[in-house]
Amino acid sequence: MPRTTYHLTAWPLTVAALLTVPWPGQAQSPPASAAWPVPAMQMPVPPGSQIQPFPIAEQYGPLNVVQPQQLPVPQHLPSPQFAPQQLPLAPQPYYVQPATATEADEALVPLPLTDAERLADLEAKFDDIAQKLKASVEKEKPAPKKEDFPTFRTTGFLQLDSALYAQTPENIATVGDAQDGTGFRRARLAVQGKVAEFTAYQIEMDFATAGRPSFFDCYVEQSNIPFLGAVRIGHFCQPFSVDSLTGFRNLTFLERSLPFLALVPFRKTGISAANQSEDQMTQWTYSLYRTGGFNNAPLGDTRSATDIGDIGGYSFATRATHLLHYDDLVPDRYLWHIGGGYTFAMLGANDAVGSGASGNIGSPRPFYQARTTPEFGPLGFSEFPSSFGSAVNGTPIFVDTGRYEATNFNMFGLESVTQWGPWGVTAEYIGTQVNTPWGSVYYQGGYAQAAYRLTGENRVYDKKTGTLGKLVPYTDFIPLKRDGICGWGAWEVAARWSVIDLRNPDSFDGHYYVAATNSYTGTSKAGNGVLNDTTHGITWFLNTHTKIQANWIHAMLDNTAGGPSTADLFVSRVQVDY
């Protein structure tokens, strides 16, 4: 029966291993003198190799090394140099262990690379490609264009409000019959920009208040000043209270809290400096400003940005906040800041002849007066609100200290702001000590509010000012582009409780202002009392710049003279900003 010869060839030398494979019924090891051909297996054996046990010899019989000239050798390979050897079958298997390859062999047969070597080679090629790409981009990148000054951009917003009132008879008898109404609460236009790299400006006017148009944030600011930071000069919000410094367009409810509405000076003409720590976890601001506003009033906006009078009229305010926690991995989403503020104000007066008389501006003596409506409005003529007990000019005043002669006041504030994912919680306490020639009085108030974004968003946080900003919806409501992401915008629900206590001691009797005689000889303190408000609200953010709000305000008044009474306000707002 014919035999089968197997040939395995490899580089650099060839050894013919004659493997005799018996067919069924034949002897396993034919005699060495057998004349019939035997199978041959060619295997690589480098020069100087050692013949060692080879596993397959045990299975297939004796392994012989034959003359290389008996086998076909590729023409491109060097001629093998070794002598034939006879390998008797040993008790154990045999294998071939190659000796060290020569330099010529290494040049012809590359050794396989390890994983580490292959990785290093790939990294080197990648770095080379990256360098070439970078050089190409740098070559094609245009030279940075120098910014042209001055620069400007326009911004603004409008708020259209509506209100329905439901008062108890006792409340109507105390504060007046509040009338339902609709009107523009704010309608503002502003221009912002720079006149140099570190010199910015803003000019903002409002067209929805009495005395249209009215001055609001109008200032020039120089930044990057060592130690001082950013220095601002003009008419702007004074540094006190996170409620005060949160922009109107970013309010959770239609209006700020009762203690702000009653006690905070707000916008005045002055100079301020603001800076923050290197890690941006702490910020502070302080300012000097003219105390008086409209007719030397110490509280609220000046509107005309003008204060006239050479008696007193200078104040100092400061506020600082610190972030106890801020998650840098998800900016603005998880944070907790605490802060405090302080204001000292020297009350001012215009002692020119005729000051304060009918048709003239100013007040002949320094005075203090704090008052507020519920947390809506004032919808109507905010600069000329009705006197306490009347609602003829819009939303009525619910609590009022009355106007009395005073010299100065100290105001203190504490605040806490927390944002934890879609949750937001804010709380503040404000107290004011007013000093008069007849003693002092302490007014106080506070609020706590919580908001939850049903669609999961959070508000932006500004580390420079320590305030919360816009809420940016994940999806817009009915986007203009058909291929855009369609959704229902963002939804937020919120609740707030706030209180203000404006009660005077009996020693103030005889020192209240009497308009008929332009003197401080009155005894009326009809507006004194404590006002508590609970507000529930829902806001629909159609997109980043449009929102619709609805609030239900339950006002609980405890008037010193008229006793307790309640009122409910159902108010709404449509706002657009850009």
Side-chain angles (χ1 to χ4, degrees):
M1 183 175 291
R3 305 285 178 162
T4 303
T5 301
Y6 299 90
H7 295 277
L8 297 176
T9 60
W11 177 252
L13 298 176
T14 306
V15 173
L18 301 181
L19 183 62
T20 302
V21 182
W23 292 93
Q26 296 182 347
Q28 293 189 4
S29 297
S33 59
W36 41 268
V38 296
M41 182 174 66
Q42 301 174 13
M43 303 181 64
V45 181
S49 297
Q50 303 289 333
I51 302 302
Q52 301 291 340
F54 191 79
I56 67 171
E58 184 181 48
Q59 179 179 358
Y60 296 105
L63 182 66
N64 298 322
V65 178
V66 301
Q67 292 291 344
Q69 58 267 26
Q70 296 175 359
L71 302 173
V73 179
Q75 297 299 316
H76 66 282
L77 305 178
S79 298
Q81 301 295 329
F82 61 88
Q85 303 177 32
Q86 175 67 34
L87 302 178
L89 185 62
Q92 69 244 23
Y94 291 87
Y95 69 94
V96 179
Q97 177 179 348
T100 305
T102 64
E103 294 183 1
D105 296 332
E106 292 178 354
L108 293 172
V109 184
L111 297 175
L113 298 177
T114 65
D115 291 343
E117 291 171 334
R118 285 195 295 267
L119 180 60
D121 183 60
L122 289 174
E123 289 178 345
K125 291 179 180 179
F126 178 80
D127 291 341
D128 182 61
I129 295 173
Q131 291 296 330
K132 290 180 179 179
L133 288 175
K134 183 178 179 181
S136 175
V137 171
E138 292 294 334
K139 184 177 180 180
E140 298 177 1
K141 186 178 179 180
K145 184 180 178 181
K146 185 177 180 181
E147 190 173 9
D148 295 328
F149 297 106
T151 65
F152 73 93
R153 74 180 186 95
T154 59
T155 181
F157 65 97
L158 63 84
Q159 297 171 337
L160 178 62
D161 291 1
S162 295
L164 297 174
Y165 297 88
Q167 300 171 271
T168 63
E170 295 80 6
N171 187 256
I172 293 176
T174 302
V175 304
D177 186 6
Q179 303 295 299
D180 299 343
T182 299
F184 282 97
R185 178 67 174 93
R186 302 174 182 94
R188 297 186 186 173
L189 291 176
V191 178
Q192 302 171 334
K194 292 184 176 181
V195 294
E197 184 177 2
F198 300 112
T199 306
Y201 70 91
Q202 175 168 311
I203 302 173
E204 182 183 39
M205 308 296 288
D206 191 286
F207 298 87
T209 59
R212 303 173 176 87
S214 301
F215 285 88
F216 277 79
D217 290 310
C218 299
Y219 58 82
V220 59
E221 181 177 278
Q222 183 70 35
S223 59
N224 282 34
I225 298 178
F227 181 73
L228 296 177
V231 175
R232 179 179 295 184
I233 301 176
H235 187 244
F236 51 85
C237 296
Q238 297 307 306
F240 188 91
S241 168
V242 66
D243 203 17
S244 171
L245 297 175
T246 299
F248 275 121
R249 66 184 75 187
N250 302 320
L251 297 178
T252 302
F253 301 93
L254 268 67
E255 293 297 334
R256 295 181 171 97
S257 63
L258 290 177
F260 163 81
L261 294 174
L263 302 175
V264 177
F266 208 31
R267 286 186 182 86
K268 301 292 180 182
T269 302
I271 179 173
S272 73
N275 209 343
Q276 60 184 156
S277 61
E278 189 173 342
D279 62 1
Q280 298 184 334
M281 298 292 280
T282 305
Q283 70 81 31
W284 58 90
T285 308
Y286 46 93
S287 71
L288 294 171
Y289 65 92
R290 291 284 293 187
T291 307
F294 184 78
N295 285 344
N296 299 118
L299 306 177
D301 290 341
T302 60
R303 300 296 171 88
S304 61
T306 302
D307 180 39
I308 298 176
D310 56 12
I311 298 178
Y314 294 93
S315 300
F316 169 80
T318 184
R319 173 178 176 261
T321 64
H322 176 69
L323 283 162
L324 294 175
H325 174 78
Y326 186 86
D327 192 338
D328 290 308
L329 296 178
V330 278
D332 302 345
R333 191 160 177 83
Y334 298 96
L335 62 91
W336 178 26
H337 105 202
I338 59 173
Y342 171 73
T343 295
F344 174 76
M346 292 291 297
L347 299 173
N350 178 351
D351 61 354
V353 176
S355 172
S358 179
N360 295 334
I361 64 170
S363 170
R365 297 182 185 178
F367 73 92
Y368 184 90
Q369 182 176 18
R371 54 185 173 178
T372 184
T373 66
E375 292 167 327
F376 172 73
L379 181 61
F381 300 96
S382 58
E383 211 58 84
F384 298 98
S386 303
S387 58
F388 182 81
S390 171
V392 65
N393 287 336
T395 305
I397 299 295
F398 270 49
V399 284
D400 189 349
T401 64
R403 179 172 169 177
Y404 56 86
E405 187 176 355
T407 56
N408 59 70
F409 69 84
N410 295 272
M411 185 167 59
F412 313 87
L414 296 173
E415 64 185 62
S416 173
V417 177
T418 303
Q419 187 159 246
W420 208 256
W423 284 97
V425 179
T426 304
E428 283 195 87
Y429 171 82
I430 298 176
T432 298
Q433 178 180 299
V434 182
N435 299 310
T436 76
W438 306 275
S440 63
V441 59
Y442 189 78
Y443 305 120
Q444 59 182 331
Y447 73 91
Q449 66 183 47
Y452 180 72
R453 293 98 201 190
L454 300 175
T455 44
E457 294 85 350
N458 59 272
R459 290 185 179 270
V460 175
Y461 181 81
D462 188 346
K463 289 185 176 182
K464 289 185 177 180
T465 61
T467 58
L468 293 172
K470 273 185 172 293
L471 185 152
V472 179
Y474 290 150
T475 61
D476 288 352
F477 174 67
I478 309 181
L480 295 179
K481 294 183 180 180
R482 295 195 175 193
D483 58 350
I485 299 175
C486 184
W488 287 97
W491 291 82
E492 178 183 69
V493 292
R496 176 174 64 189
W497 165 80
S498 61
V499 59
I500 185 68
D501 183 351
L502 299 180
R503 292 176 291 181
N504 295 334
D506 294 337
S507 59
F508 281 29
D509 290 348
H511 303 287
Y512 293 99
Y513 181 71
V514 179
T517 59
N518 192 26
S519 62
Y520 291 88
T521 58
T523 58
S524 175
K525 52 180 179 182
N528 284 198
V530 178
L531 176 62
N532 282 269
D533 275 2
T534 60
T535 303
H536 298 82
I538 185 169
T539 302
W540 180 20
F541 298 85
L542 282 73
N543 48 60
T544 306
H545 302 284
T546 311
K547 66 179 180 180
I548 299 174
Q549 292 178 276
N551 287 179
W552 166 39
I553 305 164
H554 181 62
M556 297 165 282
L557 174 63
D558 185 5
N559 182 263
T560 302
S565 63
T566 61
D568 292 287
L569 291 73
F570 303 93
V571 297
S572 64
R573 169 174 294 166
V574 176
Q575 172 182 306
V576 62
D577 67 81
Y578 67 95

Coordinates of all heavy atoms in Angstrom, one line a residue, residues 6-77:
Y6 N 4.5 14.0 4.1 CA 4.0 15.3 4.5 C 5.2 16.2 4.5 O 6.2 15.9 5.1 CB 3.4 15.2 5.9 CG 2.2 14.3 6.0 CD1 2.4 13.0 6.3 CD2 0.9 14.8 5.7 CE1 1.3 12.2 6.4 CE2 -0.2 14.0 5.8 CZ 0.0 12.6 6.2 OH -1.1 11.8 6.2
H7 N 5.1 17.4 3.9 CA 6.2 18.3 3.8 C 5.8 19.6 4.5 O 4.8 20.2 4.2 CB 6.6 18.7 2.3 CG 7.1 17.5 1.6 ND1 8.4 17.1 1.6 CD2 6.5 16.6 0.8 CE1 8.6 16.0 0.9 NE2 7.4 15.7 0.3
L8 N 6.6 20.1 5.5 CA 6.4 21.4 6.2 C 7.7 22.1 6.0 O 8.7 21.7 6.6 CB 6.1 21.2 7.7 CG 4.8 20.4 8.0 CD1 4.6 20.2 9.5 CD2 3.6 21.2 7.4
T9 N 7.7 23.2 5.3 CA 8.9 24.0 5.1 C 8.9 25.2 5.8 O 7.8 25.8 6.0 CB 9.1 24.3 3.6 OG1 8.0 25.0 3.1 CG2 9.2 23.0 2.7
A10 N 10.1 25.7 6.3 CA 10.2 27.0 7.0 C 11.6 27.5 6.9 O 12.5 26.7 6.6 CB 9.7 26.8 8.4
W11 N 11.8 28.7 7.3 CA 13.1 29.4 7.3 C 13.7 29.4 8.6 O 13.0 29.4 9.6 CB 12.9 30.8 6.8 CG 14.2 31.6 6.8 CD1 14.5 32.6 7.6 CD2 15.3 31.4 6.0 NE1 15.8 33.0 7.4 CE2 16.3 32.3 6.3 CE3 15.5 30.6 4.9 CZ2 17.5 32.5 5.7 CZ3 16.7 30.7 4.2 CH2 17.7 31.6 4.7
P12 N 15.1 29.2 8.8 CA 16.1 29.4 7.8 C 16.7 28.1 7.2 O 17.3 28.1 6.2 CB 17.2 30.1 8.6 CG 17.1 29.6 10.0 CD 15.6 29.4 10.2
L13 N 16.7 27.0 7.9 CA 17.3 25.7 7.4 C 16.2 24.6 7.4 O 15.2 24.7 8.1 CB 18.4 25.3 8.3 CG 19.6 26.2 8.4 CD1 20.7 25.7 9.4 CD2 20.3 26.4 7.0
T14 N 16.4 23.6 6.7 CA 15.4 22.5 6.5 C 15.9 21.2 7.0 O 17.0 20.8 6.6 CB 14.9 22.4 5.1 OG1 14.5 23.7 4.6 CG2 13.8 21.4 5.0
V15 N 15.2 20.6 7.9 CA 15.5 19.2 8.4 C 14.4 18.3 8.0 O 13.2 18.7 8.2 CB 15.6 19.2 9.9 CG1 15.8 17.8 10.4 CG2 16.8 20.0 10.4
A16 N 14.7 17.3 7.3 CA 13.7 16.3 6.9 C 13.5 15.3 7.9 O 14.5 14.5 8.2 CB 14.1 15.6 5.6
A17 N 12.4 15.3 8.5 CA 12.1 14.3 9.6 C 11.3 13.2 8.9 O 10.1 13.5 8.5 CB 11.3 14.9 10.7
L18 N 11.9 12.1 8.7 CA 11.2 11.0 8.0 C 10.3 10.3 9.0 O 10.8 9.7 10.0 CB 12.2 10.0 7.4 CG 13.2 10.7 6.4 CD1 14.2 9.6 5.9 CD2 12.5 11.3 5.3
L19 N 9.1 10.4 8.8 CA 8.1 9.9 9.7 C 7.4 8.7 9.0 O 6.7 8.9 8.0 CB 7.1 10.9 10.1 CG 6.1 10.6 11.2 CD1 6.8 10.2 12.4 CD2 5.1 11.7 11.4
T20 N 7.6 7.5 9.6 CA 6.9 6.3 9.0 C 5.6 6.1 9.7 O 5.6 5.9 10.9 CB 7.8 5.1 9.2 OG1 9.1 5.3 8.6 CG2 7.2 3.9 8.5
V21 N 4.6 6.2 8.9 CA 3.2 6.0 9.4 C 2.7 4.7 8.8 O 2.4 4.6 7.6 CB 2.3 7.2 9.0 CG1 1.0 7.0 9.6 CG2 3.0 8.5 9.5
P22 N 2.6 3.7 9.6 CA 2.0 2.4 9.1 C 0.5 2.5 8.8 O -0.2 3.2 9.5 CB 2.3 1.4 10.2 CG 2.3 2.3 11.4 CD 2.9 3.6 11.0
W23 N 0.2 1.9 7.7 CA -1.3 1.8 7.4 C -1.8 0.6 8.2 O -1.1 -0.2 8.7 CB -1.5 1.6 5.9 CG -1.1 2.8 5.2 CD1 0.1 3.1 4.6 CD2 -2.0 3.9 4.9 NE1 0.1 4.3 4.0 CE2 -1.2 4.9 4.2 CE3 -3.3 4.2 5.2 CZ2 -1.7 6.1 3.8 CZ3 -3.8 5.4 4.8 CH2 -3.0 6.3 4.1
P24 N -3.1 0.5 8.3 CA -3.7 -0.6 9.0 C -3.2 -2.0 8.6 O -3.1 -2.3 7.4 CB -5.2 -0.5 8.8 CG -5.4 1.0 8.4 CD -4.1 1.3 7.7
G25 N -2.9 -2.8 9.5 CA -2.4 -4.2 9.3 C -0.9 -4.3 9.0 O -0.4 -5.4 8.7
Q26 N -0.2 -3.2 9.0 CA 1.3 -3.2 8.8 C 2.0 -3.0 10.1 O 1.5 -2.5 11.0 CB 1.7 -2.2 7.8 CG 1.0 -2.4 6.4 CD 1.5 -1.4 5.4 OE1 2.1 -0.4 5.8 NE2 1.3 -1.7 4.1
A27 N 3.4 -3.3 10.0 CA 4.2 -3.1 11.2 C 4.4 -1.6 11.5 O 4.5 -0.8 10.5 CB 5.6 -3.8 11.0
Q28 N 4.6 -1.3 12.7 CA 4.7 0.1 13.0 C 6.0 0.7 12.6 O 6.2 1.8 12.3 CB 4.4 0.4 14.5 CG 3.0 0.1 14.9 CD 2.7 0.5 16.3 OE1 3.6 1.1 17.0 NE2 1.5 0.2 16.8
S29 N 7.1 -0.1 12.7 CA 8.5 0.4 12.4 C 9.1 -0.5 11.4 O 9.6 -1.6 11.7 CB 9.3 0.4 13.7 OG 8.8 1.3 14.6
P30 N 9.1 -0.1 10.1 CA 9.7 -0.9 9.0 C 11.2 -0.9 9.2 O 11.8 -0.1 9.9 CB 9.3 -0.2 7.8 CG 9.1 1.1 8.2 CD 8.6 1.1 9.6
P31 N 11.9 -2.0 8.7 CA 13.4 -2.1 8.8 C 14.0 -0.9 8.2 O 13.5 -0.3 7.3 CB 13.8 -3.4 8.1 CG 12.5 -3.9 7.5 CD 11.3 -3.1 8.0
A32 N 15.2 -0.5 8.7 CA 15.9 0.7 8.2 C 16.3 0.5 6.7 O 16.5 1.4 6.0 CB 17.2 0.9 9.0
S33 N 16.4 -0.8 6.3 CA 16.8 -1.1 4.9 C 15.7 -1.1 3.9 O 15.8 -1.5 2.8 CB 17.6 -2.4 4.8 OG 16.7 -3.4 5.3
A34 N 14.5 -0.7 4.4 CA 13.3 -0.8 3.5 C 13.5 0.1 2.3 O 14.0 1.2 2.4 CB 12.1 -0.4 4.3
A35 N 13.1 -0.4 1.1 CA 13.3 0.3 -0.1 C 12.2 1.2 -0.5 O 12.4 2.1 -1.4 CB 13.6 -0.7 -1.2
W36 N 11.0 1.1 0.1 CA 9.9 1.9 -0.3 C 10.0 3.3 0.3 O 10.6 3.5 1.4 CB 8.6 1.3 0.1 CG 8.5 0.6 1.4 CD1 8.8 -0.7 1.7 CD2 8.2 1.3 2.6 NE1 8.7 -0.9 3.0 CE2 8.3 0.3 3.6 CE3 7.9 2.6 3.0 CZ2 8.1 0.5 4.9 CZ3 7.6 2.8 4.3 CH2 7.7 1.8 5.3
P37 N 9.4 4.3 -0.3 CA 9.6 5.7 0.2 C 8.9 5.9 1.5 O 7.9 5.2 1.8 CB 9.0 6.5 -0.9 CG 8.0 5.6 -1.6 CD 8.6 4.3 -1.5
V38 N 9.4 6.8 2.3 CA 8.8 7.1 3.6 C 8.3 8.5 3.6 O 8.8 9.3 2.9 CB 9.8 6.9 4.7 CG1 10.2 5.4 4.8 CG2 11.0 7.8 4.5
P39 N 7.3 8.8 4.4 CA 6.8 10.2 4.5 C 7.9 11.1 5.0 O 8.7 10.7 5.9 CB 5.6 10.1 5.4 CG 5.3 8.7 5.5 CD 6.5 7.9 5.2
A40 N 7.9 12.3 4.6 CA 8.9 13.3 5.1 C 8.2 14.5 5.6 O 7.3 15.0 5.0 CB 9.9 13.7 3.9
M41 N 8.7 15.0 6.7 CA 8.1 16.3 7.3 C 9.3 17.2 7.5 O 10.3 17.0 8.2 CB 7.5 16.0 8.7 CG 6.9 17.3 9.3 SD 6.0 17.0 10.8 CE 7.3 16.4 11.8
Q42 N 9.2 18.3 6.8 CA 10.3 19.3 6.8 C 10.0 20.3 7.9 O 9.0 20.9 8.0 CB 10.4 20.0 5.4 CG 10.7 19.1 4.3 CD 10.6 19.8 3.0 OE1 10.6 21.0 2.9 NE2 10.6 19.0 1.9
M43 N 11.0 20.6 8.8 CA 10.9 21.5 9.9 C 12.1 22.4 9.9 O 13.2 22.1 9.6 CB 10.8 20.7 11.2 CG 9.6 19.7 11.2 SD 9.5 18.9 12.8 CE 9.1 20.3 13.8
P44 N 11.9 23.7 10.4 CA 13.0 24.6 10.5 C 13.9 24.3 11.6 O 13.5 24.0 12.7 CB 12.3 26.0 10.7 CG 11.1 25.6 11.4 CD 10.6 24.3 10.8
V45 N 15.2 24.3 11.3 CA 16.2 24.0 12.3 C 17.4 25.0 12.1 O 18.1 24.9 11.1 CB 16.8 22.6 12.3 CG1 17.8 22.4 13.4 CG2 15.7 21.6 12.4
P46 N 17.5 26.1 12.9 CA 18.6 27.1 12.7 C 19.9 26.4 13.0 O 20.0 25.4 13.7 CB 18.2 28.2 13.7 CG 16.8 28.0 14.0 CD 16.5 26.5 13.9
P47 N 21.0 27.0 12.4 CA 22.3 26.4 12.6 C 22.6 26.4 14.1 O 22.3 27.3 14.8 CB 23.2 27.4 11.9 CG 22.4 28.1 10.9 CD 21.0 28.1 11.5
G48 N 23.2 25.2 14.5 CA 23.6 25.1 15.9 C 22.5 24.6 16.8 O 22.6 24.7 18.0
S49 N 21.4 24.2 16.2 CA 20.2 23.9 17.1 C 20.5 22.6 17.8 O 21.3 21.7 17.3 CB 19.0 23.7 16.2 OG 18.6 24.9 15.7
Q50 N 19.9 22.4 18.9 CA 20.0 21.2 19.7 C 18.8 20.3 19.4 O 17.6 20.8 19.3 CB 20.0 21.5 21.2 CG 21.1 22.4 21.6 CD 22.5 21.7 21.5 OE1 22.6 20.5 21.7 NE2 23.5 22.5 21.3
I51 N 19.0 19.0 19.2 CA 17.9 18.0 19.0 C 17.4 17.6 20.4 O 18.1 17.0 21.2 CB 18.4 16.8 18.2 CG1 18.9 17.3 16.9 CG2 17.2 15.9 17.9 CD1 18.0 18.1 16.0
Q52 N 16.1 17.9 20.6 CA 15.5 17.6 21.9 C 14.3 16.7 21.7 O 13.8 16.6 20.5 CB 15.1 18.9 22.6 CG 16.3 19.8 22.9 CD 17.3 19.2 23.9 OE1 16.9 18.4 24.7 NE2 18.5 19.7 23.9
P53 N 13.7 16.2 22.8 CA 12.5 15.4 22.6 C 11.4 16.1 21.8 O 11.1 17.3 22.1 CB 12.1 15.2 24.0 CG 13.3 15.2 24.8 CD 14.1 16.3 24.1
F54 N 10.8 15.5 20.8 CA 9.8 16.0 19.9 C 8.5 15.3 20.1 O 8.5 14.1 20.0 CB 10.3 16.0 18.5 CG 9.5 16.8 17.6 CD1 9.7 18.1 17.5 CD2 8.5 16.1 16.8 CE1 8.9 18.8 16.6 CE2 7.8 16.9 15.9 CZ 8.0 18.2 15.8
P55 N 7.4 15.9 20.5 CA 6.2 15.2 20.9 C 5.7 14.2 19.9 O 5.3 13.1 20.2 CB 5.3 16.3 21.2 CG 6.1 17.5 21.4 CD 7.3 17.4 20.6
I56 N 5.7 14.6 18.6 CA 5.0 13.7 17.6 C 5.9 12.4 17.3 O 5.3 11.5 16.7 CB 4.7 14.4 16.3 CG1 6.0 14.8 15.6 CG2 3.9 15.6 16.6 CD1 5.7 15.3 14.2
A57 N 7.2 12.4 17.6 CA 8.0 11.2 17.3 C 7.5 10.0 18.1 O 7.6 8.9 17.6 CB 9.4 11.5 17.7
E58 N 7.0 10.2 19.3 CA 6.5 9.1 20.1 C 5.3 8.4 19.4 O 5.0 7.2 19.5 CB 6.1 9.6 21.5 CG 5.7 8.5 22.4 CD 5.3 9.0 23.7 OE1 4.6 10.0 23.8 OE2 5.8 8.5 24.8
Q59 N 4.5 9.3 18.7 CA 3.3 8.7 18.1 C 3.5 8.1 16.7 O 2.9 7.1 16.4 CB 2.2 9.9 18.0 CG 0.9 9.4 17.4 CD -0.1 10.6 17.3 OE1 0.2 11.6 17.8 NE2 -1.2 10.3 16.7
Y60 N 4.4 8.7 16.0 CA 4.6 8.3 14.6 C 5.9 7.5 14.3 O 6.1 7.2 13.1 CB 4.5 9.5 13.7 CG 3.2 10.2 13.7 CD1 3.1 11.4 14.4 CD2 2.1 9.6 13.1 CE1 1.9 12.0 14.5 CE2 0.9 10.3 13.2 CZ 0.7 11.5 13.8 OH -0.4 12.1 13.9
G61 N 6.8 7.3 15.2 CA 7.9 6.4 15.0 C 9.2 7.2 15.0 O 9.3 8.3 15.5
P62 N 10.3 6.6 14.4 CA 11.7 7.2 14.5 C 11.7 8.5 13.7 O 11.0 8.6 12.6 CB 12.6 6.2 13.9 CG 11.7 5.3 13.0 CD 10.4 5.3 13.7
L63 N 12.5 9.5 14.1 CA 12.7 10.8 13.5 C 14.1 10.8 12.9 O 15.1 10.7 13.7 CB 12.4 11.9 14.5 CG 12.5 13.3 13.9 CD1 11.4 13.5 12.9 CD2 12.5 14.3 15.0
N64 N 14.3 10.9 11.6 CA 15.6 11.0 10.9 C 15.9 12.3 10.4 O 15.0 13.0 9.8 CB 15.6 9.9 9.8 CG 15.5 8.5 10.3 OD1 16.0 8.2 11.4 ND2 14.7 7.7 9.5
V65 N 17.1 12.7 10.5 CA 17.6 14.0 9.9 C 18.3 13.5 8.6 O 19.2 12.7 8.6 CB 18.6 14.7 10.7 CG1 19.1 15.9 10.0 CG2 17.9 15.1 12.0
V66 N 17.9 14.0 7.4 CA 18.4 13.6 6.1 C 19.2 14.7 5.5 O 19.3 15.8 6.0 CB 17.2 13.2 5.2 CG1 16.4 12.1 5.8 CG2 16.3 14.4 4.9
Q67 N 19.8 14.4 4.4 CA 20.7 15.3 3.7 C 19.8 16.5 3.2 O 18.8 16.2 2.5 CB 21.4 14.6 2.5 CG 22.4 13.6 3.0 CD 23.6 14.3 3.6 OE1 23.8 15.5 3.5 NE2 24.4 13.5 4.3
P68 N 20.2 17.7 3.4 CA 19.4 18.8 2.9 C 19.3 18.8 1.4 O 18.3 19.3 0.8 CB 20.1 20.1 3.4 CG 21.5 19.6 3.7 CD 21.4 18.1 4.1
Q69 N 20.3 18.3 0.6 CA 20.3 18.3 -0.8 C 19.2 17.4 -1.4 O 18.8 17.5 -2.6 CB 21.6 18.0 -1.5 CG 22.1 16.6 -1.1 CD 23.1 16.7 0.1 OE1 22.9 17.7 0.9 NE2 24.0 15.8 0.3
Q70 N 18.7 16.5 -0.5 CA 17.6 15.6 -1.0 C 16.3 16.3 -1.1 O 15.3 15.8 -1.6 CB 17.5 14.4 -0.1 CG 18.7 13.5 -0.1 CD 18.6 12.4 0.9 OE1 17.6 12.3 1.6 NE2 19.6 11.5 1.0
L71 N 16.2 17.5 -0.4 CA 14.9 18.3 -0.4 C 15.0 19.5 -1.2 O 16.0 20.1 -1.3 CB 14.6 18.6 1.1 CG 14.5 17.4 2.0 CD1 14.4 17.9 3.5 CD2 13.4 16.5 1.7
P72 N 13.8 20.0 -1.7 CA 13.8 21.2 -2.4 C 14.1 22.4 -1.5 O 13.4 22.6 -0.5 CB 12.4 21.3 -3.1 CG 11.6 20.4 -2.2 CD 12.5 19.3 -1.7
V73 N 15.0 23.2 -1.9 CA 15.4 24.4 -1.1 C 15.0 25.7 -1.9 O 15.5 25.8 -3.0 CB 16.8 24.5 -0.7 CG1 17.2 25.7 0.1 CG2 17.2 23.2 0.1
P74 N 14.2 26.6 -1.3 CA 13.9 27.8 -2.1 C 15.2 28.5 -2.5 O 16.2 28.6 -1.8 CB 13.1 28.7 -1.1 CG 12.6 27.7 -0.2 CD 13.6 26.6 -0.1
Q75 N 15.2 29.1 -3.8 CA 16.4 29.7 -4.3 C 16.8 31.0 -3.5 O 18.0 31.4 -3.5 CB 16.1 30.1 -5.8 CG 15.9 28.9 -6.7 CD 17.1 27.9 -6.7 OE1 18.2 28.4 -6.8 NE2 16.8 26.6 -6.6
H76 N 15.8 31.7 -2.9 CA 16.2 32.9 -2.2 C 16.7 32.7 -0.8 O 17.0 33.6 -0.1 CB 14.9 33.8 -2.1 CG 13.8 33.2 -1.2 ND1 13.0 32.2 -1.7 CD2 13.5 33.5 0.0 CE1 12.2 31.9 -0.8 NE2 12.4 32.7 0.3
L77 N 16.8 31.4 -0.4 CA 17.3 31.1 1.0 C 18.7 30.7 0.9 O 19.2 30.0 -0.1 CB 16.5 30.0 1.6 CG 14.9 30.3 1.7 CD1 14.2 29.1 2.3 CD2 14.7 31.5 2.5

